[in-house]
Amino acid sequence: MRCRFCDTDIAAKAIICYRCGRATADPRVAPPSVRHGPSGAAALAATLVLGAVAAYLPVVFDGTELWVGWAGLAAAAGAAASAWWRRRG
């Protein structure tokens, strides 16, 4: 049998070509679809929730606690944006 990609002579029962490494036959099962991460609506909802919490923080806290709260929100927003960016494709 000959490889259909590199035209090398290979064994009749070969699964892959030893020279080019490509499969000798088409897959029988289609590969699973790729999920592209959180949707734009989920990102918008997370942004709105974080914005609402940031706007409410000065009502509840002041001084150092306010800055710590804002730093925590910034970290959460950064982590969410990073996760969205990595998973989007």
Side-chain angles (χ1 to χ4, degrees):
M1 177 167 94
R2 299 196 71 76
C3 175
R4 61 184 170 160
F5 298 104
C6 67
D7 202 36
T8 301
D9 192 27
I10 56 176
K13 293 184 179 183
I15 297 172
I16 62 169
C17 174
Y18 68 88
R19 184 166 184 223
C20 68
R22 298 193 60 187
T24 58
D26 293 326
R28 293 183 186 171
V29 178
S33 63
V34 177
R35 184 165 183 258
H36 291 287
S39 66
L44 178 64
T47 302
L48 291 175
V49 168
L50 289 174
V53 170
Y56 188 67
L57 274 177
V59 175
V60 179
F61 299 112
D62 63 346
T64 305
E65 295 161 336
L66 177 63
W67 289 103
V68 169
W70 279 343
L73 284 175
S82 175
W84 175 77
W85 187 259
R86 278 191 314 260
R87 295 185 66 197
R88 66 184 263 269

Coordinates of all heavy atoms in Angstrom, one line a residue:
M1 N 0.9 -1.2 0.0 CA 0.0 0.0 0.0 C 0.9 1.2 0.0 O 2.0 1.2 0.5 CB -0.9 0.0 1.3 CG -1.8 1.1 1.4 SD -3.0 0.9 2.7 CE -2.3 1.7 4.1
R2 N 0.4 2.3 -0.6 CA 1.2 3.5 -0.6 C 0.4 4.6 0.1 O -0.8 4.7 0.1 CB 1.4 4.0 -2.1 CG 2.2 2.9 -2.9 CD 2.7 3.4 -4.2 NE 3.8 4.3 -4.1 CZ 5.1 4.0 -3.8 NH1 5.4 2.8 -3.5 NH2 6.0 4.9 -3.8
C3 N 1.2 5.5 0.8 CA 0.7 6.6 1.5 C 0.0 7.6 0.5 O 0.7 7.9 -0.5 CB 1.7 7.3 2.4 SG 1.2 8.8 3.2
R4 N -1.1 8.1 0.8 CA -1.8 9.0 -0.1 C -1.3 10.4 0.0 O -1.6 11.2 -0.9 CB -3.3 9.0 0.1 CG -3.7 9.4 1.5 CD -5.2 9.3 1.7 NE -5.6 9.5 3.1 CZ -6.7 9.8 3.5 NH1 -7.7 9.9 2.6 NH2 -7.0 10.0 4.8
F5 N -0.4 10.7 1.0 CA 0.1 12.0 1.1 C 1.5 12.2 0.6 O 1.9 13.1 -0.1 CB 0.0 12.5 2.6 CG -1.4 12.5 3.1 CD1 -1.9 11.5 3.9 CD2 -2.2 13.5 2.7 CE1 -3.2 11.6 4.4 CE2 -3.5 13.6 3.2 CZ -4.0 12.6 4.0
C6 N 2.4 11.2 1.0 CA 3.8 11.3 0.6 C 4.2 10.2 -0.4 O 5.4 10.2 -0.8 CB 4.7 11.3 1.9 SG 4.7 9.7 2.7
D7 N 3.3 9.3 -0.7 CA 3.6 8.3 -1.7 C 4.7 7.3 -1.3 O 5.4 6.8 -2.2 CB 3.8 8.9 -3.1 CG 3.6 7.9 -4.2 OD1 2.6 7.2 -4.1 OD2 4.3 8.0 -5.2
T8 N 4.8 7.1 0.0 CA 5.8 6.1 0.5 C 5.1 4.8 0.5 O 4.0 4.6 0.9 CB 6.3 6.5 1.9 OG1 6.8 7.8 1.8 CG2 7.3 5.6 2.5
D9 N 5.9 3.7 0.3 CA 5.4 2.3 0.3 C 5.3 2.0 1.8 O 6.3 2.0 2.5 CB 6.4 1.4 -0.4 CG 5.8 0.0 -0.6 OD1 4.5 -0.1 -0.6 OD2 6.5 -0.9 -0.7
I10 N 4.1 1.6 2.3 CA 3.9 1.3 3.7 C 3.2 -0.1 3.8 O 2.6 -0.6 2.8 CB 3.1 2.3 4.5 CG1 1.8 2.6 3.8 CG2 3.9 3.6 4.6 CD1 0.9 3.6 4.5
A11 N 3.1 -0.7 5.0 CA 2.5 -1.9 5.2 C 1.0 -1.8 4.9 O 0.4 -0.7 5.1 CB 2.7 -2.4 6.6
A12 N 0.3 -2.9 4.5 CA -1.1 -2.9 4.1 C -2.0 -2.6 5.3 O -3.0 -2.0 5.2 CB -1.5 -4.3 3.5
K13 N -1.6 -2.9 6.5 CA -2.4 -2.7 7.7 C -2.0 -1.5 8.5 O -2.3 -1.3 9.7 CB -2.4 -3.9 8.6 CG -3.1 -5.1 8.0 CD -3.2 -6.3 9.0 CE -3.9 -7.5 8.3 NZ -4.0 -8.6 9.3
A14 N -1.1 -0.7 7.9 CA -0.6 0.5 8.7 C -1.7 1.5 9.0 O -2.6 1.7 8.2 CB 0.5 1.2 7.8
I15 N -1.7 2.0 10.2 CA -2.7 3.0 10.6 C -2.2 4.4 10.3 O -2.9 5.3 9.9 CB -2.9 2.9 12.1 CG1 -3.5 1.5 12.4 CG2 -3.9 4.0 12.6 CD1 -3.7 1.2 13.9
I16 N -0.9 4.6 10.4 CA -0.3 5.9 10.1 C 1.0 5.6 9.2 O 1.6 4.6 9.3 CB 0.1 6.8 11.3 CG1 1.2 6.0 12.1 CG2 -1.1 7.2 12.1 CD1 1.8 6.9 13.2
C17 N 1.4 6.6 8.4 CA 2.6 6.5 7.6 C 3.8 6.8 8.5 O 3.8 7.7 9.3 CB 2.5 7.5 6.5 SG 4.0 7.6 5.5
Y18 N 4.8 5.9 8.4 CA 6.0 6.0 9.2 C 6.8 7.2 8.8 O 7.6 7.7 9.6 CB 6.8 4.7 9.3 CG 7.5 4.4 7.9 CD1 8.7 4.9 7.6 CD2 6.8 3.6 7.0 CE1 9.3 4.6 6.4 CE2 7.4 3.3 5.8 CZ 8.7 3.8 5.5 OH 9.3 3.5 4.3
R19 N 6.6 7.7 7.6 CA 7.5 8.7 7.0 C 6.9 10.1 7.3 O 7.5 11.0 7.9 CB 7.7 8.6 5.6 CG 8.6 9.6 5.0 CD 9.0 9.2 3.6 NE 10.0 10.2 3.1 CZ 10.0 10.7 1.9 NH1 9.1 10.3 1.0 NH2 10.9 11.6 1.5
C20 N 5.6 10.3 7.0 CA 5.0 11.7 7.2 C 4.1 11.7 8.5 O 3.8 12.8 8.9 CB 4.2 12.1 6.0 SG 2.7 11.1 5.7
G21 N 3.7 10.6 9.1 CA 3.0 10.6 10.3 C 1.5 10.9 10.1 O 0.8 11.0 11.1
R22 N 1.0 10.9 8.9 CA -0.4 11.1 8.7 C -1.2 9.8 8.7 O -0.7 8.8 8.3 CB -0.6 11.9 7.4 CG 0.1 13.3 7.6 CD -0.1 14.3 6.6 NE -1.5 14.8 6.5 CZ -1.8 15.6 5.5 NH1 -0.9 16.0 4.7 NH2 -3.1 16.0 5.5
A23 N -2.5 9.9 9.0 CA -3.4 8.8 9.0 C -3.6 8.2 7.6 O -3.6 9.0 6.6 CB -4.7 9.1 9.6
T24 N -3.7 6.9 7.5 CA -3.8 6.3 6.2 C -5.3 6.2 5.8 O -5.6 6.0 4.6 CB -3.3 4.9 6.2 OG1 -3.9 4.1 7.2 CG2 -1.8 4.9 6.4
A25 N -6.2 6.5 6.7 CA -7.7 6.4 6.4 C -8.3 7.6 7.1 O -7.8 8.2 8.1 CB -8.3 5.1 6.9
D26 N -9.5 8.0 6.6 CA -10.3 9.1 7.3 C -10.9 8.6 8.6 O -11.2 7.4 8.7 CB -11.4 9.5 6.3 CG -10.9 10.2 5.1 OD1 -9.8 10.8 5.2 OD2 -11.5 10.0 4.0
P27 N -11.0 9.4 9.6 CA -11.6 9.0 10.8 C -13.0 8.6 10.7 O -13.8 9.2 9.9 CB -11.5 10.3 11.7 CG -11.3 11.4 10.8 CD -10.7 10.8 9.6
R28 N -13.4 7.6 11.5 CA -14.8 7.1 11.4 C -15.8 7.9 12.2 O -17.0 8.0 11.9 CB -14.9 5.7 11.9 CG -14.1 4.7 11.0 CD -14.3 3.3 11.5 NE -13.4 2.4 10.8 CZ -13.2 1.2 11.1 NH1 -13.7 0.6 12.2 NH2 -12.5 0.4 10.3
V29 N -15.3 8.6 13.2 CA -16.1 9.4 14.1 C -15.6 10.9 14.0 O -14.4 11.1 14.0 CB -16.0 8.9 15.6 CG1 -16.8 9.8 16.5 CG2 -16.4 7.5 15.7
A30 N -16.5 11.8 13.8 CA -16.2 13.2 13.7 C -15.6 13.7 15.1 O -16.1 13.3 16.1 CB -17.4 14.0 13.3
P31 N -14.6 14.5 15.0 CA -14.1 15.1 16.3 C -15.1 16.0 17.0 O -16.0 16.5 16.3 CB -12.9 15.9 15.8 CG -13.1 16.2 14.4 CD -13.9 15.0 13.9
P32 N -15.1 16.1 18.3 CA -16.0 16.9 19.0 C -15.9 18.4 18.6 O -14.8 18.8 18.3 CB -15.7 16.7 20.5 CG -14.3 16.2 20.5 CD -14.1 15.5 19.2
S33 N -17.0 19.0 18.7 CA -17.0 20.5 18.4 C -16.2 21.2 19.4 O -16.2 20.9 20.6 CB -18.4 21.0 18.2 OG -19.0 20.9 19.5
V34 N -15.6 22.3 19.0 CA -14.8 23.1 20.0 C -15.6 24.2 20.6 O -16.4 24.9 19.9 CB -13.6 23.8 19.2 CG1 -12.8 24.7 20.1 CG2 -12.7 22.7 18.5
R35 N -15.6 24.2 21.9 CA -16.3 25.3 22.6 C -15.4 26.5 22.7 O -14.3 26.4 23.1 CB -16.7 24.8 24.0 CG -17.5 25.8 24.8 CD -18.2 25.1 26.0 NE -19.0 26.1 26.6 CZ -18.7 26.7 27.7 NH1 -17.5 26.5 28.3 NH2 -19.5 27.6 28.2
H36 N -16.0 27.6 22.4 CA -15.2 28.9 22.4 C -15.3 29.7 23.6 O -15.0 30.9 23.6 CB -15.6 29.7 21.1 CG -15.2 29.0 19.9 ND1 -13.9 29.0 19.4 CD2 -15.9 28.4 18.9 CE1 -13.9 28.3 18.3 NE2 -15.1 28.0 18.0
G37 N -15.7 29.2 24.7 CA -15.7 29.9 26.0 C -16.9 30.7 26.2 O -17.9 30.5 25.5
P38 N -16.9 31.5 27.2 CA -18.0 32.3 27.6 C -18.5 33.2 26.5 O -17.7 33.7 25.7 CB -17.5 33.2 28.8 CG -16.3 32.6 29.2 CD -15.7 31.8 28.1
S39 N -19.8 33.4 26.4 CA -20.4 34.2 25.4 C -20.2 35.7 25.7 O -19.8 36.1 26.8 CB -21.9 33.9 25.2 OG -22.6 34.3 26.4
G40 N -20.5 36.5 24.7 CA -20.4 37.9 25.0 C -21.5 38.4 26.0 O -21.2 39.3 26.8
A41 N -22.6 37.7 26.0 CA -23.7 38.1 27.0 C -23.2 37.8 28.4 O -23.4 38.5 29.4 CB -25.0 37.3 26.7
A42 N -22.5 36.7 28.6 CA -22.0 36.3 29.9 C -20.9 37.3 30.4 O -20.8 37.7 31.5 CB -21.4 34.9 29.9
A43 N -20.0 37.7 29.5 CA -19.0 38.7 29.8 C -19.7 40.0 30.1 O -19.2 40.7 31.1 CB -18.1 38.9 28.6
L44 N -20.7 40.4 29.4 CA -21.4 41.7 29.7 C -22.1 41.6 31.1 O -22.0 42.6 31.9 CB -22.4 42.0 28.6 CG -23.3 43.2 28.8 CD1 -22.4 44.5 28.8 CD2 -24.4 43.3 27.8
A45 N -22.7 40.5 31.4 CA -23.4 40.3 32.7 C -22.4 40.4 33.8 O -22.6 41.1 34.8 CB -24.1 39.0 32.7
A46 N -21.2 39.8 33.7 CA -20.2 39.8 34.7 C -19.7 41.2 34.9 O -19.4 41.7 36.0 CB -19.0 38.9 34.3
T47 N -19.5 42.0 33.8 CA -19.1 43.3 33.8 C -20.1 44.2 34.6 O -19.7 45.1 35.4 CB -18.8 43.9 32.4 OG1 -17.9 43.1 31.8 CG2 -18.3 45.3 32.4
L48 N -21.4 44.0 34.3 CA -22.4 44.8 34.9 C -22.4 44.5 36.4 O -22.6 45.4 37.3 CB -23.7 44.6 34.3 CG -23.9 45.1 32.9 CD1 -25.3 44.7 32.3 CD2 -23.8 46.6 32.9
V49 N -22.3 43.3 36.8 CA -22.3 42.9 38.2 C -21.1 43.5 38.9 O -21.3 44.1 40.0 CB -22.4 41.4 38.4 CG1 -22.1 41.0 39.8 CG2 -23.7 40.8 38.0
L50 N -19.9 43.4 38.4 CA -18.8 43.9 39.0 C -18.9 45.5 39.1 O -18.4 46.1 40.1 CB -17.5 43.5 38.2 CG -17.1 42.1 38.4 CD1 -15.9 41.7 37.4 CD2 -16.7 41.7 39.8
G51 N -19.4 46.1 38.0 CA -19.6 47.5 38.1 C -20.6 48.0 39.2 O -20.4 49.0 39.9
A52 N -21.7 47.2 39.3 CA -22.6 47.5 40.4 C -22.0 47.4 41.8 O -22.2 48.2 42.7 CB -23.9 46.6 40.2
V53 N -21.2 46.3 42.0 CA -20.6 46.2 43.3 C -19.6 47.3 43.5 O -19.5 47.8 44.6 CB -19.9 44.8 43.3 CG1 -19.0 44.7 44.5 CG2 -20.9 43.7 43.3
A54 N -18.8 47.7 42.5 CA -17.9 48.8 42.6 C -18.5 50.1 42.9 O -18.0 50.9 43.8 CB -17.1 48.9 41.3
A55 N -19.7 50.3 42.4 CA -20.4 51.6 42.7 C -21.0 51.5 44.1 O -21.2 52.6 44.7 CB -21.6 51.7 41.7
Y56 N -21.4 50.4 44.6 CA -22.0 50.3 45.9 C -20.9 50.2 47.0 O -21.3 50.5 48.2 CB -22.8 49.0 46.0 CG -23.6 48.8 47.2 CD1 -24.7 49.7 47.5 CD2 -23.3 47.8 48.2 CE1 -25.4 49.6 48.6 CE2 -24.1 47.7 49.3 CZ -25.1 48.6 49.5 OH -25.9 48.4 50.7
L57 N -19.7 49.9 46.7 CA -18.6 49.9 47.8 C -18.5 51.1 48.6 O -18.4 51.0 49.8 CB -17.3 49.5 47.1 CG -17.0 48.0 47.0 CD1 -15.7 47.8 46.3 CD2 -17.0 47.3 48.3
P58 N -18.5 52.3 48.0 CA -18.3 53.5 48.8 C -19.5 53.8 49.8 O -19.3 54.4 50.9 CB -18.3 54.7 47.8 CG -17.9 54.1 46.6 CD -18.4 52.7 46.6
V59 N -20.6 53.2 49.6 CA -21.7 53.3 50.5 C -21.5 52.5 51.7 O -21.9 52.9 52.8 CB -23.1 52.9 49.8 CG1 -24.2 52.9 50.8 CG2 -23.3 53.8 48.6
V60 N -20.9 51.3 51.6 CA -20.7 50.4 52.7 C -19.4 50.6 53.4 O -19.3 50.5 54.6 CB -20.7 48.9 52.1 CG1 -20.5 47.9 53.2 CG2 -22.1 48.7 51.4
F61 N -18.3 50.9 52.7 CA -17.0 50.9 53.3 C -16.3 52.3 53.0 O -16.8 53.1 52.1 CB -16.0 49.9 52.7 CG -16.5 48.5 52.9 CD1 -16.9 47.7 51.9 CD2 -16.5 47.9 54.2 CE1 -17.3 46.4 52.1 CE2 -16.9 46.6 54.4 CZ -17.3 45.9 53.3
D62 N -15.3 52.6 53.8 CA -14.5 53.8 53.5 C -13.1 53.5 53.9 O -12.8 52.5 54.6 CB -15.1 55.0 54.3 CG -15.0 54.9 55.8 OD1 -14.8 53.7 56.3 OD2 -15.2 55.9 56.5
G63 N -12.2 54.4 53.5 CA -10.8 54.2 53.9 C -10.1 53.0 53.3 O -10.3 52.7 52.1
T64 N -9.4 52.3 54.1 CA -8.6 51.1 53.6 C -9.5 50.0 53.1 O -9.2 49.4 52.1 CB -7.7 50.6 54.8 OG1 -6.9 51.6 55.3 CG2 -6.8 49.5 54.3
E65 N -10.6 49.8 53.8 CA -11.5 48.7 53.3 C -12.1 49.0 51.9 O -12.3 48.0 51.1 CB -12.7 48.6 54.3 CG -12.2 48.1 55.7 CD -13.3 48.5 56.8 OE1 -14.1 49.4 56.5 OE2 -13.2 47.8 57.8
L66 N -12.3 50.2 51.6 CA -12.8 50.6 50.3 C -11.7 50.2 49.2 O -12.0 49.6 48.2 CB -13.1 52.1 50.2 CG -13.6 52.6 48.9 CD1 -14.9 51.9 48.4 CD2 -13.8 54.1 48.9
W67 N -10.5 50.6 49.5 CA -9.4 50.3 48.5 C -9.2 48.8 48.4 O -8.9 48.3 47.3 CB -8.1 51.0 49.0 CG -8.2 52.5 48.8 CD1 -8.4 53.4 49.7 CD2 -8.2 53.2 47.5 NE1 -8.5 54.7 49.1 CE2 -8.3 54.5 47.8 CE3 -8.0 52.8 46.2 CZ2 -8.3 55.5 46.8 CZ3 -8.0 53.7 45.2 CH2 -8.2 55.1 45.5
V68 N -9.3 48.1 49.5 CA -9.1 46.6 49.4 C -10.3 46.0 48.6 O -10.1 45.1 47.8 CB -9.1 46.0 50.8 CG1 -9.2 44.5 50.8 CG2 -7.8 46.4 51.6
G69 N -11.5 46.5 48.8 CA -12.6 46.1 48.0 C -12.4 46.3 46.5 O -12.7 45.5 45.7
W70 N -12.0 47.6 46.2 CA -11.7 47.9 44.8 C -10.6 47.0 44.2 O -10.6 46.6 43.0 CB -11.4 49.4 44.6 CG -12.7 50.2 44.6 CD1 -13.9 49.8 44.4 CD2 -12.7 51.6 44.8 NE1 -14.8 50.8 44.4 CE2 -14.1 52.0 44.7 CE3 -11.8 52.6 45.0 CZ2 -14.5 53.3 44.8 CZ3 -12.2 53.9 45.2 CH2 -13.6 54.2 45.1
A71 N -9.6 46.8 45.0 CA -8.5 45.9 44.5 C -9.0 44.5 44.3 O -8.6 43.9 43.3 CB -7.3 45.9 45.5
G72 N -9.8 44.0 45.1 CA -10.4 42.7 44.9 C -11.3 42.6 43.7 O -11.2 41.6 42.9
L73 N -12.1 43.7 43.4 CA -12.9 43.7 42.2 C -12.0 43.8 41.0 O -12.3 43.2 40.0 CB -13.8 44.9 42.3 CG -15.0 44.8 43.2 CD1 -15.8 46.1 43.2 CD2 -15.9 43.7 42.7
A74 N -10.9 44.5 41.1 CA -10.0 44.6 39.9 C -9.4 43.3 39.6 O -9.2 42.9 38.5 CB -8.9 45.7 40.2
A75 N -9.0 42.6 40.7 CA -8.4 41.2 40.5 C -9.5 40.3 39.9 O -9.2 39.5 39.0 CB -7.9 40.7 41.9
A76 N -10.7 40.3 40.4 CA -11.8 39.5 39.9 C -12.0 39.8 38.4 O -12.2 38.9 37.6 CB -13.0 39.6 40.7
A77 N -12.1 41.1 38.1 CA -12.3 41.5 36.7 C -11.1 41.0 35.8 O -11.4 40.5 34.7 CB -12.5 43.0 36.6
G78 N -9.9 41.1 36.3 CA -8.8 40.7 35.5 C -8.8 39.2 35.3 O -8.5 38.7 34.2
A79 N -9.1 38.4 36.3 CA -9.2 37.0 36.2 C -10.3 36.6 35.2 O -10.1 35.7 34.4 CB -9.5 36.3 37.6
A80 N -11.5 37.2 35.3 CA -12.6 36.9 34.4 C -12.2 37.3 32.9 O -12.4 36.5 32.0 CB -13.8 37.7 34.8
A81 N -11.5 38.4 32.7 CA -11.1 38.8 31.4 C -10.1 37.9 30.9 O -10.1 37.5 29.7 CB -10.6 40.2 31.4
S82 N -9.1 37.4 31.7 CA -8.1 36.5 31.3 C -8.7 35.1 30.9 O -8.3 34.6 29.9 CB -7.1 36.3 32.4 OG -6.2 35.3 32.1
A83 N -9.7 34.7 31.7 CA -10.3 33.4 31.4 C -11.1 33.5 30.1 O -11.0 32.6 29.2 CB -11.3 33.0 32.5
W84 N -11.8 34.6 29.9 CA -12.5 34.8 28.6 C -11.5 34.9 27.4 O -11.8 34.3 26.4 CB -13.3 36.1 28.7 CG -14.0 36.4 27.4 CD1 -15.2 35.8 27.0 CD2 -13.6 37.4 26.5 NE1 -15.5 36.4 25.8 CE2 -14.6 37.4 25.4 CE3 -12.6 38.3 26.4 CZ2 -14.5 38.2 24.3 CZ3 -12.5 39.1 25.3 CH2 -13.5 39.1 24.3
W85 N -10.4 35.6 27.6 CA -9.5 35.7 26.5 C -8.8 34.4 26.1 O -8.6 34.1 25.0 CB -8.4 36.7 26.9 CG -7.5 37.1 25.8 CD1 -6.2 36.6 25.6 CD2 -7.7 37.9 24.7 NE1 -5.7 37.1 24.4 CE2 -6.6 37.9 23.8 CE3 -8.8 38.7 24.3 CZ2 -6.5 38.7 22.7 CZ3 -8.8 39.5 23.1 CH2 -7.6 39.4 22.4
R86 N -8.5 33.6 27.1 CA -7.8 32.3 26.9 C -8.8 31.3 26.2 O -8.4 30.5 25.3 CB -7.4 31.6 28.2 CG -6.0 32.1 28.7 CD -5.5 31.2 29.8 NE -6.5 30.9 30.8 CZ -6.7 31.5 31.9 NH1 -5.8 32.5 32.3 NH2 -7.6 31.2 32.8
R87 N -10.1 31.3 26.6 CA -11.0 30.3 26.1 C -11.7 30.7 24.8 O -12.4 29.9 24.2 CB -12.1 30.0 27.1 CG -11.5 29.3 28.3 CD -12.5 28.9 29.3 NE -13.3 27.9 28.7 CZ -14.5 27.6 29.2 NH1 -15.0 28.2 30.2 NH2 -15.2 26.6 28.6
R88 N -11.5 31.9 24.3 CA -12.3 32.4 23.2 C -11.7 31.8 21.9 O -12.4 31.9 20.8 CB -12.4 33.9 23.1 CG -11.1 34.6 22.9 CD -11.3 36.1 22.9 NE -11.4 36.7 21.6 CZ -10.4 37.1 20.9 NH1 -9.2 37.1 21.4 NH2 -10.7 37.7 19.7
G89 N -10.6 31.1 21.9 CA -10.2 30.5 20.7 C -8.8 30.7 20.3 O -8.2 30.3 19.5

